[in-house]
Structures are given as structure tokens and as C-alpha cells.
Amino acid sequence: MTQKPYTVDELISAKAIAARVEALAKEISTHFADTDKLIVVGLLRGSFILIADLVRKLDLPVEVDFMEASSYGNATESSREVRILQDLRGEIGNRDVLVVEDIVDTGYTLKHVLEILSTRHPRRMEVCALLNKPSRRGTDVQAKWIGFDIPDKFVVGYGIDYAQRNRNLSHIGTVRFTE
Ligand code: IMP
Ligand code: MG
């Protein structure tokens, strides 16, 4: 795919992300303090860096599993069609689950994933999302923990991509087309 030229303007610094992730990890550790083992379910691929940082700050016994859902293709517009491309490896029945998502935008991806996971009857299931675009929400889905509310702009970095690029940025920035 040919890409229109663009630059990335910093929106959230690496330092601000690290501080926020540490604060979220404290809250999550307190919330799940009584669990024998928390299953952290990362939604690929956008949450992979967040998960790596978050689990290292959790003061809990933790298992990590992954699921891949897709709604975007390579475009910057969301679609209501959500496909499960890869399911969890492990069972979550009667277990404590933390679903970790990169961005909640319209909310359709998260809603769909939570519906599927609920049919497996976890004991408790909560959501942590790094970014939230409240102005775009088309469903009533909620994340218990949110890193940052952001405006309705297309963002990249810290695991999040534009057409598979820029996941390796340490900060989060907005995409600005230069022509
Ligand atoms: P939703 O179903 O509209 O809530 O879309 C959520 C998914 O779309 C997220 O998990 C992201 O993978 C992707 N997404 C939403 N906004 C952005 C963005 O600004 N940049 C990159 N990906 C995004
Ligand atoms: Mg995603």
C-alpha cells in the first residue's frame, strides 16, 4: 500500500505514559489483591507494549494470554465488523481476568470481545485501556481503568500503528499528513 507522507506530533510523552501505567498498576493490584492468579488478556497487536510495562508493575501472581481482534484493516476509519483472528490459548472459566486494550474508540471491538469472553464465565472481568476517545463512542461499553482521554484524532506509538507503522515509538503522537 502506498502511504501519503505524514509526520507524528507528540501528544503524550514516554515519561507521562510510564507514570500513568505505574499508577494504573497500583490500582489494579489493589483491586485484585485477593486473587490467586490474575489472567491478563492482551488484545493484539496494539496493546503489546502496554502489557509488557503493566505486568512488570503488578504486585500479583499473573498469567498472560493474548487474543487478536480486528476491525480496522489498514484504514483510519473504524468499522462495526469485528473479527476474532486469534483466540486465547487458555481457559478463563471461574478465573479473574483483566482485558488490556490499546484504544477504545467506537467501542465495538471491546464490546464484541467482552461478549465472547463473558460466555466463558470468568469469575471477575475488568478492562484497562490506555487511551479513550469518548467523543466517538457508539456503544455503552466501559473500561474500569483508562490511561488517558484523548480527542478524536488518529494516534500512533507505544504499540499503536498506522498501517503497521510507528508501533515502536516510545511516545504517543497524532498523525498529520504533510501534503
Ligand atoms: P473501536 O472498535 O472503534 O473501539 O476501535 C478500537 C480499535 O481500533 C483499537 O483497538 C485500535 O486497534 C483501533 N484504533 C482506534 N483508534 C485508533 C487510532 O487513533 N490509531 C490507531 N488505531 C486505532
Ligand atoms: Mg486494537
Side-chain angles (χ1 to χ4, degrees):
M1 192 173 92
T2 48
Q3 209 66 66
K4 280 197 292 177
Y6 65 92
T7 56
V8 177
D9 301 321
E10 184 170 296
L11 181 67
I12 307 171
S13 70
K15 208 174 154 191
I17 297 168
R20 188 71 189 117
V21 169
E22 190 160 357
L24 290 171
K26 280 207 178 99
E27 287 181 31
I28 292 166
S29 298
T30 304
H31 183 86
F32 287 105
D34 62 342
T35 191
D36 50 327
K37 210 194 274 167
L38 179 68
I39 305 183
V40 176
V41 169
L43 300 185
L44 293 173
R45 288 172 252 176
S47 68
F48 80 104
I49 294 181
L50 171 61
I51 291 162
D53 284 348
L54 188 69
V55 296
R56 282 180 289 176
K57 298 286 179 194
L58 290 178
D59 187 16
L60 294 170
V62 160
E63 236 175 75
V64 179
D65 205 342
F66 295 98
M67 190 168 185
E68 185 170 9
S70 163
S71 68
Y72 256 72
N74 272 344
T76 54
E77 275 303 307
S78 187
S79 89
R80 289 190 187 194
E81 240 177 89
V82 178
R83 285 178 302 153
I84 300 300
L85 304 178
Q86 186 192 304
D87 205 344
L88 299 177
R89 291 286 291 275
E91 307 287 331
I92 57 165
N94 207 27
R95 301 289 301 275
D96 293 323
V97 174
L98 177 71
V99 176
V100 179
E101 172 65 312
D102 55 353
I103 306 181
V104 188
D105 185 12
T106 65
Y108 290 112
T109 306
L110 187 58
K111 187 181 160 78
H112 187 78
V113 166
L114 293 179
E115 277 170 6
I116 291 172
L117 296 180
S118 296
T119 66
R120 302 175 191 177
H121 305 292
R123 190 164 81 100
R124 269 186 295 185
M125 183 164 63
E126 303 291 358
V127 178
C128 175
L130 181 67
L131 303 176
N132 182 38
K133 292 183 189 173
S135 64
R136 295 253 303 161
R137 194 74 86 257
T139 68
D140 57 0
V141 73
Q142 294 275 4
K144 187 172 183 73
W145 295 285
I146 285 168
F148 303 90
D149 282 338
I150 58 166
D152 180 17
K153 297 235 172 88
F154 198 82
V155 295
V156 293
Y158 196 71
I160 300 164
D161 74 302
Y162 172 47
Q164 301 307 326
R165 291 169 58 183
N166 306 120
R167 290 192 197 273
N168 57 328
L169 284 177
S170 301
H171 60 276
I172 287 168
T174 52
V175 167
R176 179 164 49 87
F177 293 101
T178 48
E179 64 178 50

